[in-house]
Amino acid sequence: MRWTPNSWRDFPIKQQPTYEDKKALNDVEAELSSYPPLIFAGEARTLKEQLASVGRGEAFLLQGGDCAESFTNFNTPNIKNFFKLILQMNMVMMYSTGKPVVKVGRIAGQFAKPRSSDFEEIDGVKLPSYRGDIINGVAFTPEARIPNPHNMIRAYNQASATQNLLRAFSRGGFADLNKVHKWNLNFIKDNTLGKRYEELSEKIDRAVKFISACGLSSEQVPQLHQTTIFTSHEALLLNYEESLTKIDSEGDGKYYDCSAHMLWIGDRTRDLTDAHIEFFRGIANPIGCKVGSTMGEDELIELIDVLNPENEEGRLNLIVRMGASKIQEFFPTLLRRVRDEGRNVVWSCDPMHGNVEKSPTGYKTRDFENILSEVEQFFAIHKEMGTVAGGIHLEMTGNDVTECTGSTSCSITAEDLSSRYHTQCDPRLNASQALELSFMIGDIINN
Ligand code: PEP
Ligand code: CO
């Protein structure tokens, strides 16, 4: 079947807004299509190569960021704190595993959200659900909830500026290994975890000084002076994705979705006969697909057939999100089948989306114990099966929020949640919880 960037329009599609003003929508799509790509196809190919090494067990994938980026929380401190956190986690994991860490942010485009219900009801008032800032507004008013196509332009501009700052931080000297102490975030500096990170920084410092005494300074060695953070998001709103999909005319002549380096398909939109699968099969980026507990064995093999027909390494990341209480029951069968059929995939663990609960105080939350438990089980199952546990996929922020309960370093209780519950969608690990989890993952890998 012939594929074009708009062939998805002939298929059934879930989780989409209905835009009332079709002309405005068409105008926005035309305008977006004329804008420059946010990434270069060559970068997406580099990420694919790096993911291939993750699939072989030679590197580790760290993917994380907001559940949903928002227009209101768009500012330098948020991006900088995220950048510092991901560098810290990178150091912790690299130091403990001795392997490179492939860093992929849920950032610079992570705006559109699938929802469990089309409507939200508060005190008898029923309005369309919030679907992410790229679609409508979070405020509980009829006006805010109307899908506005112009939000796509604003999302593009925000993604572009975010990407620009990430590139500047990555290349401009901020990521220099001599600055490893400076990445420690103020609010965790003094807790046990901050101290543990400081100890690690000391060791890295000594190693860097040693290397420099050998005659290799960070100015001469780009690997010591720079880093790369790739961008990714759930490609849910296909009007936006199609508009940014371009042929790499000076490269391999294939289509790339240039809204991010990597895109993934959500658990709710991965039906084989639906539009998202159609769109994804034609783009040459590295792609991901969420795998929840309802995924069937044959269904998964068919999905792999469609999304990675050449069995290319690094092309397809299967992101397992079953929940701490379900992963042991549902994951091993899928893993065994994929292993036995010799399919090249990168397996990663999203311990967030299967572990959502409502706190007694009324907040949507996740408990650190469950998150850690799903990660531990994910690694144990791979060990048992002789397969590669490639990486981790987290919802996290570099800020000091109170959205997930638990952890040793900050022990947030249900009562604490109201204090700094800032997410526009799902609860994120705060920097302290995310760093603690990184140390624990390092320990799991080493054992
Ligand atoms: C997400 O990653 O924010 C998400 C909605 O995940 P899932 O599709 O796995 O529910
Ligand atoms: Co989420």
Side-chain angles (χ1 to χ4, degrees), residues 67 106 113 353 366 395 426:
C67 177
R106 287 174 61 114
K113 299 310 299 174
H353 289 89
R366 293 156 168 156
E395 287 186 344
D426 289 342

Side-chain angles (χ1 to χ4, degrees), residues 67 106 113-114 234 264 266-268 290 321 353 395:
C67 177
R106 287 174 61 114
K113 299 310 299 174
E234 176 177 348
W264 77 85
D267 198 41
R268 280 160 264 213
K290 294 290 192 86
R321 40 86 83 216
H353 289 89
E395 287 186 344

Side-chain angles (χ1 to χ4, degrees), residues 14 265 267-277 299:
K14 296 196 180 77
I265 310 173
D267 198 41
R268 280 160 264 213
T269 49
R270 58 169 170 73
D271 275 10
L272 285 166
T273 48
D274 279 4
H276 288 86
I277 298 286
E299 187 187 6

